[in-house]
Amino acid sequence: MSEVTAIAHPNFALVKYWGKADSVSNKPAMSSISLTIDALTSTTNISKNQGSSENIWILNGEEQNDLARINPVLKYLNNISRNNYGCIIKSGNNFPTSAGLASSASGIASLVIAYNQLFRLDMSFDQLVEASMLGSGSAPRSLLGGFVILNVENELYSQTILEPEDWPLSIIICITDDKEKIISSREGMEISRKTSPFYQSWLDTNKGDIQIAKSAIAEQDIKKLGEVTEKNCYLMHQVMRTSSPQINYMTERTNNCIEEIKEIRKDGIELFFTVDAGPQVKIVCKPEDKELIKDRLINKPYVTKLVEANIGNGARVIDEG
Ligand code: 2P0
């Protein structure tokens, strides 16, 4: 086999990770629960760089000079494959990169799955989790579909807690600004861990939020899941804002969008939102309410684009030859 192509979808956390336990393994300091998003896709094609030890990474058509994000992943994988040569990695996203849409999670997950197949490694799922975590702390969640937990308490594992078809909610992503973020999540998390006075309480609330979210998902209770998701999101952004230097991913456009979502909720529609390390607002709602919600947001000056999605599947190989 000379090349393999794999895809993975980004994921959005409902209970979020912001802060690392260990910067070598890149292990998150807290557990998280996410949704895999089917309409957004990262595609990675990988082949061997015959006769050369150099790794080449082309992202969205541009050769990257800095391979720091993928080097630890390749090192881990090369140790298993005993490959001494380099790889040619071509990755692309069908959505804005580094704009708070979790492109690193899906990019890394698709890379690990493609490599595993190219070298026929038959890696265990735990190894796939470890390898992808080295590239992005949220990448192990993109290995799987549906509602996914990445557990770090006592034992490290990534697991689907509910399949996409078991609770087919709709997702609407409000793009308010698709420019690349100024502070990467990686830098931002370290700043927050070291400086935010709220970091400890953020850590302390994680176990409780995970339990509430798990039970809301098991009961398919959108109100309960929405309450814990929004509370968790606000606390993460408070940790960011109280960091030194201050980190502010939410803009006025983000806040305007949230205000309108709250108005829609006041009108009796069940929906909730979350915001990650970027200004976009992600809405989760029932499929039957999707059109009405889109109509309320489509012409707003603070919304550049709406992207509709469903809950997606895990990372997978799509082509080999
Ligand atoms: C999350 N985020 O749980 C949180 C919420 C962003 C805000 O995980 O340093 O790209 O590569 O592990 O995984 C984004 O961080 O960071 C992230 P690294 P990653 O989804």
Side-chain angles (χ1 to χ4, degrees):
M1 200 181 305
S2 61
E3 62 176 299
V4 172
T5 305
I7 62 168
H9 305 295
N11 64 77
F12 301 151
L14 306 177
V15 177
K16 296 177 189 298
Y17 136 61
W18 191 256
K20 294 176 198 299
D22 163 18
S23 58
V24 177
S25 68
N26 201 34
K27 189 177 162 194
M30 65 221 70
S31 301
S32 53
I33 292 182
S34 63
L35 281 177
T36 305
I37 310 301
D38 73 347
L40 308 182
T41 304
S42 293
T43 305
T44 297
N45 172 279
I46 184 163
S47 56
K48 295 172 195 168
N49 193 2
Q50 299 291 359
S52 166
S53 59
E54 192 193 359
N55 291 309
I56 296 172
W57 182 26
I58 298 162
L59 176 59
N60 294 324
E62 276 182 37
E63 187 167 346
Q64 304 293 298
N65 295 322
D66 183 1
L67 274 68
R69 183 172 281 274
I70 64 168
N71 275 339
V73 183
L74 292 173
K75 194 172 164 210
Y76 181 102
L77 295 170
N78 283 336
N79 262 334
I80 299 175
S81 66
R82 301 187 182 279
N83 170 47
N84 293 317
Y85 294 114
C87 290
I88 301 171
I89 298 149
K90 296 177 196 156
S91 307
N93 301 320
N94 73 345
F95 59 95
T97 298
S98 300
L101 291 170
S103 56
S104 56
S106 47
I108 296 291
S110 57
L111 164 60
V112 169
I113 293 298
Y115 188 110
N116 180 46
Q117 183 69 4
L118 180 70
F119 289 90
R120 297 226 175 265
L121 298 183
D122 204 14
M123 285 162 69
S124 69
F125 190 70
D126 287 348
Q127 287 178 314
L128 297 174
V129 167
E130 273 177 19
S132 53
M133 182 174 286
L134 288 165
S136 158
S138 53
R141 303 189 311 233
S142 276
L143 293 171
L144 296 167
F147 289 83
V148 177
I149 182 165
L150 177 60
N151 185 77
V152 299
E153 281 293 324
N154 305 320
E155 199 192 341
L156 172 69
Y157 61 84
S158 183
Q159 200 174 66
T160 292
I161 47 181
L162 199 65
E163 296 290 346
E165 58 275 14
D166 290 335
W167 194 15
L169 293 171
S170 290
I171 294 144
I172 303 168
I173 303 157
C174 307
I175 308 283
T176 64
D177 189 345
D178 60 9
K179 286 198 248 346
E180 285 197 21
K181 58 191 161 200
I182 301 156
I183 298 182
S184 72
S185 296
R186 190 159 293 199
E187 278 176 273
M189 284 181 204
E190 266 315 274
I191 295 171
S192 294
R193 186 181 67 79
K194 289 184 186 150
T195 64
S196 172
F198 290 96
Y199 187 75
Q200 190 57 46
S201 54
W202 166 240
L203 272 181
D204 294 343
T205 56
N206 178 256
K207 256 191 203 167
D209 284 359
I210 290 282
Q211 282 317 318
I212 296 167
K214 272 170 95 173
S215 69
I217 293 164
E219 294 155 17
Q220 301 193 6
D221 183 337
I222 190 167
K223 186 165 181 282
K224 184 170 168 182
L225 185 59
E227 281 168 3
V228 70
T229 297
E230 291 182 8
K231 186 198 83 152
N232 186 271
C233 172
Y234 275 127
L235 185 52
M236 179 184 76
H237 286 276
Q238 186 185 28
V239 170
M240 292 166 166
R241 267 196 307 276
T242 54
S243 301
S244 181
Q246 198 182 60
I247 304 164
N248 219 337
Y249 292 116
M250 289 168 84
T251 63
E252 201 182 327
R253 294 166 78 93
T254 311
N255 289 324
N256 288 336
C257 197
I258 290 173
E259 285 316 308
E260 183 60 20
I261 291 165
K262 288 181 180 169
E263 288 301 316
I264 299 171
R265 185 154 56 211
K266 272 190 208 153
D267 293 339
I269 306 293
E270 284 192 295
L271 81 172
F272 64 87
F273 64 86
T274 191
V275 179
D276 291 291
Q280 330 311 345
V281 182
K282 293 104 183 207
I283 299 172
V284 180
C285 65
K286 293 182 174 169
E288 59 267 32
D289 296 328
K290 189 175 66 179
E291 291 306 320
L292 186 149
I293 297 167
K294 273 168 46 197
D295 283 350
R296 291 277 295 261
L297 290 161
I298 190 82
N299 289 321
K300 294 287 188 268
Y302 42 82
V303 174
T304 341
K305 194 178 166 194
L306 293 177
V307 179
E308 276 179 66
N310 297 306
I311 304 176
N313 292 311
R316 57 212 180 265
V317 170
I318 56 160
D319 196 23
E320 45 192 298

